[in-house]
Amino acid sequence: MCGRYSFSKKKVPQAHRYADKLEGLSFTPNFDARPSQQLPVILPAAQKAIMAIWADPTKLEDGKPTLPFNIREENLRFIPRFRELLPSHRCIIPVDGFFEWKELDDDQEQEGPTEESTANVALDLFGNPVRSEAEKKRLKKAKPQKQKYRFTLAQEEPFGLAGLCRESLHKETGELFPHFTIITTKANEAVQPYHDRMPVILTPHSEGIWMNNRLQEKDWLSVLTPYDARQMSVMAIDEYESMLGNYVAPKLNSK
């Protein structure tokens, strides 16, 4: 989950706690941020935010990615290679919203082959329908329709997600470059109807704990909890418009 989010520095008020961190950092507003892209992250000991790549797909010996695009907060306790990152590789990922998709009801989904449409299809010796290559491709592409939803704080102000950031070899240049992952927790009441997981949203108070290098593991782990659902908003949006930064309700879209 949380494989997409949005962030624009233009939406960070000058009085916001992130404003000084982001000052001087040049990046294009991203309304469809996704793994493999370079995005701003805030580190505990750095005065300014840096650009880092979301996730490192380089495979380990066991075939798993070096740094996946998200990590369950439960796994920080039990997977050594993630737990070892806690003392000095914590970070905050500034965002102004994140996205999830949910399949529409059956009566709204794209129709697949029906009994009527397959009645005259020839069958092979095993009783399977014999279809042309074009028909096979059409059916393969037919997928249930999904509605895109945007999750924000109630006042739509920028907020931070808990993450881990470490340097890894850039696969194209062979140079060390920061990569980050987002930590997830169980969904709160606002997100649960759409997904059973959500990113760890930090309050200004919990940000102070998460970024404090003088604290201990138990303190950092204590803030990795579901955010207060009463402080969040969710809305259905148009998929295409949202990637342009226009959060238009589907019924208002004229396409």
Side-chain angles (χ1 to χ4, degrees), residues 87 90 209-210 212 215-223:
R90 302 177 316 284
I209 297 174
W210 183 244
N212 191 336
L215 298 180
Q216 300 177 3
E217 180 184 285
K218 62 182 178 62
D219 301 305
W220 301 319
L221 293 174
S222 71
V223 304

Side-chain angles (χ1 to χ4, degrees), residues 1-9 27-41 51-55 69-70 93-101 148 150 161 180 182 237 239 242-245 247:
M1 59 74 48
C2 193
R4 298 285 191 279
Y5 68 80
S6 61
F7 185 60
S8 171
K9 191 168 70 170
F27 63 94
T28 304
N30 196 325
F31 306 109
D32 187 46
R34 58 182 64 192
S36 80
Q37 295 181 338
Q38 292 186 30
L39 300 154
V41 300
M51 298 298 288
I53 297 174
W54 186 3
F69 71 91
N70 61 43
I93 299 99
V95 308
D96 50 47
F98 65 92
F99 306 103
E100 289 294 348
W101 287 258
K148 189 176 185 178
R150 185 171 190 246
L161 307 181
F180 73 92
I182 293 173
I237 54 175
E239 175 87 41
S242 73
M243 291 189 288
L244 303 177
Y247 303 115

Side-chain angles (χ1 to χ4, degrees), residues 113-139:
T114 63
E115 183 177 350
E116 180 179 356
S117 66
T118 59
N120 297 320
V121 174
L123 303 179
D124 63 17
L125 295 176
F126 302 97
N128 300 312
V130 178
R131 303 185 189 279
S132 67
E133 290 301 318
E135 178 70 0
K136 289 179 182 179
K137 289 181 179 179
R138 186 189 71 80
L139 293 175

Side-chain angles (χ1 to χ4, degrees), residues 150-204:
R150 185 171 190 246
F151 298 85
T152 65
L153 298 193
Q155 302 303 317
E156 295 198 11
E157 68 269 29
F159 56 98
L161 307 181
L164 298 173
C165 183
R166 55 166 291 176
E167 286 191 330
S168 302
L169 285 176
H170 192 289
K171 63 180 181 179
E172 295 181 0
T173 66
E175 299 177 351
L176 284 175
F177 198 87
H179 292 71
F180 73 92
T181 183
I182 293 173
I183 300 172
T184 70
T185 186
K186 62 182 180 181
N188 61 17
E189 292 85 350
V191 180
Q192 200 281 327
Y194 311 93
H195 203 285
D196 61 354
R197 305 287 299 181
M198 67 179 292
V200 172
I201 300 174
L202 298 169
T203 65

